[in-house]
Amino acid sequence: MLVGRIAGIPIRIDWSWILVFALFVMMLSQATGPFGAIAPSERVGVAAVTVLLLFVCVLLHETSHALVARIYGIPTRDITLFAFGGVSHMETTGVTPGQQAQIAAAGPLASFAIGAVSAVVAELVPWGTFAQVAAYLGVVNVALGIFNLLPSYPLDGGRVLHALVWKIRGDRGRATAFMSSFSSVVGALLMGAAVLLFFMGNFFGGIWIALIAWFVMSAARSEFAAELLAGPLSHTSSADVMDESGETLGPDQTCAEALAMLLRVRRRVAAVTQDGMLVGLVSMSDFAKLHDRAPETTRVFEIMTPYESIASVSPATSALDAFRRLAAAGHAQLPVVDSSRCLRGFITRETVIRVLKFTQERQRVRVG
Ligand SMILES: [Zn+2]
C-alpha cells in the first residue's frame, strides 16, 4: 500500500504493519506500560501518537540508507515498512564494498542521532506527557540502532561485516558464503540467550529475543539463497543452460502426427518451424482447440500458439533474467530464439531446477 513519497522515493506499508500498530498501541496503553503515570483516558491517544512517531523514526532510518545510496548514484526502488521495521529496496549491482558499508551504517547512525535528540528533548522540557514520549522514543531508537547493528545478514551490521569481509577477501561470493555461516551462529547464540532468559523467569524478554533470533535466521537464509544463486546465474547466458530444442514440427503436419510425436518423445511442447524459422509452439493444451475437428485432418498451424504471441529470450540473455521471465510469464517453457528467428533451445522449469541444483552443489564445494 503506497502511502507517500520522501525525496521522490515511494513509501509503502505492508498490511502486517497495521496489525503491529494496533498491538503496539494496546501494549503502550497498559497501566504497566511506559505511560502508566498518565491518566487512563489519555493513555490510548498518547500511545497512538507515540507509535506513529516511531513509524516516522523507522522511516528516517530507511531514508538515510536511501540518501547515502543516492550520493553514489544508486537508486532506491521503494521503502516498505513491515512488522519488524523497514526495508529499502535498492539496486545492489555495481556497488563497491566501501559504498555498501556506508549505506548500511547510515541507518543505525540515524537511529542513534534521533535517540540522542529525543533524550536531550526529554531532559530540557519539564517532566510531563511530552517529556515521557520523548524519553521513550530516545530509548527505543537507541535499541533500534543496536538491533540493526547485530552482525547478521540482512541487518545493517551484517551488511557492514559483509562489506568488510568482501574487501579483505576481494570476492563478493566468498563474503556472502562466510556471512551465511556467521549469521546462523549469531541466530543460534540469540536463541540460546532467549532460552536462558526464559528459564531465568524473564518470559517477555525471552520471547522477544527468540522472535529476533527467528527473524535473523529465516531472513538470512532467504537472502543468501537469492544472493548465492543470483551471482553465478547473472554471469551465465541462456545459451549455456538451455535444453536442446528437440524434434520440431512443420505447420502443415496433422495434429494426429503432432500428438503422436509428442507422446513418442515424451515432451509437453514442440516447436513448429518453417525454413528454419520458428513460427509457433504446440503444447498438449493446444489440442483442446481442436473441439470436434478431427486430428487427422486438422493442420498444426490451426491450433499452434503463433510466434507473435510467444514470450521468448535471446541466447545472450542471462540465465537469471530468463528464469525471472519464465516465472513472470507463468509458462512451462520459454523458447531461446536468435536474431534470425531460429530456435536454439528451450528454458523450462526443469532447466531452472537442474541449474539451481548444480549451482548449489558448486557453492557447497567452494564453501567447504
Ligand atoms: Zn537499516
Side-chain angles (χ1 to χ4, degrees), residues 21 25 28 43-53:
F21 176 84
V25 172
L28 289 185
R43 239 186 266 140
V44 177
V46 173
V49 170
T50 308
V51 178
L52 274 179
L53 286 172

Side-chain angles (χ1 to χ4, degrees), residues 61-62 65 107-108 148 156:
H61 172 114
E62 292 305 324
H65 287 306
N148 273 292
D156 298 330

Side-chain angles (χ1 to χ4, degrees), residues 58 61-62 64-65 86-88 103-108 111 144 148-149 154-157 159:
V58 172
H61 172 114
E62 292 305 324
S64 67
H65 287 306
V87 223
S88 308
I103 294 167
S111 292
L144 200 69
N148 273 292
L149 277 181
L155 296 175
D156 298 330
R159 289 184 199 277

Side-chain angles (χ1 to χ4, degrees), residues 2-19:
L2 188 73
V3 290
R5 280 166 198 278
I6 293 184
I9 302 159
I11 310 295
R12 293 174 203 287
I13 292 183
D14 185 85
W15 290 106
S16 68
W17 196 87
I18 292 168
L19 187 76

